[in-house]
């Protein structure tokens, strides 16, 4: 199994939780330094809690399951103070 497949397998363990809130995540690239670059999709891309979701869920799942990965970055985290941030419908 290559690194992308291993990362996808790790992400599949948390995708049901992301999807329950109308979100998801996609792997944009794995750099030569083995840093995973992700894009948060759906409500995850606009939620002010996305930093918590990213750090406590997504990043931890990848780092635990794929020890070769040296880091995880999201290319589109929403700042908690962003006035355009929107909570998922079921969290309002």
């Amino acid at each position: 199994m290559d690194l992308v497949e291993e990362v996808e397998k790790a992400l599949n363990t948390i995708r049901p939780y992301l999807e329950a809130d109308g979100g998801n995540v996609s792997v944009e690239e794995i750099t030569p330094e083995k840093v995973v670059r992700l894009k948060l999709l759906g409500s995850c891309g606009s939620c002010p809690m996305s930093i918590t979701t990213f750090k406590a869920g997504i990043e931890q799942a990848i780092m635990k399951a794929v020890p070769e990965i040296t880091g995880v970055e999201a290319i589109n985290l929403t700042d908690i103070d962003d006035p355009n941030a929107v909570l998922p419908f079921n969290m309002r």
Side-chain angles (χ1 to χ4, degrees):
M1 191 178 312
D2 71 7
L3 277 181
V4 173
E5 290 172 326
E6 290 183 55
V7 169
E8 287 289 348
K9 184 177 177 182
L11 290 173
N12 285 338
T13 66
I14 61 168
R15 276 199 168 105
Y17 305 105
L18 301 174
E19 291 169 347
D21 287 329
N24 208 332
V25 62
S26 69
V27 177
E28 295 298 300
E29 74 171 316
I30 299 177
T31 70
E33 296 79 24
K34 295 189 171 65
V35 174
V36 178
R37 299 193 75 228
L38 302 171
K39 183 174 185 181
L40 301 175
L41 305 171
S43 63
C44 289
S46 61
C47 179
M49 299 304 293
S50 63
I51 186 73
T52 303
T53 301
F54 174 73
K55 286 299 211 184
I58 298 169
E59 181 180 57
Q60 290 300 311
I62 292 171
M63 298 296 284
K64 183 178 178 182
V66 192
E68 301 92 333
I69 295 301
T70 61
V72 182
E73 300 174 354
I75 63 173
N76 65 327
L77 279 178
T78 299
D79 188 270
I80 198 159
D81 296 321
D82 186 334
N84 297 314
V86 178
L87 284 172
F89 180 76
N90 62 350
M91 292 180 66
R92 291 176 194 215

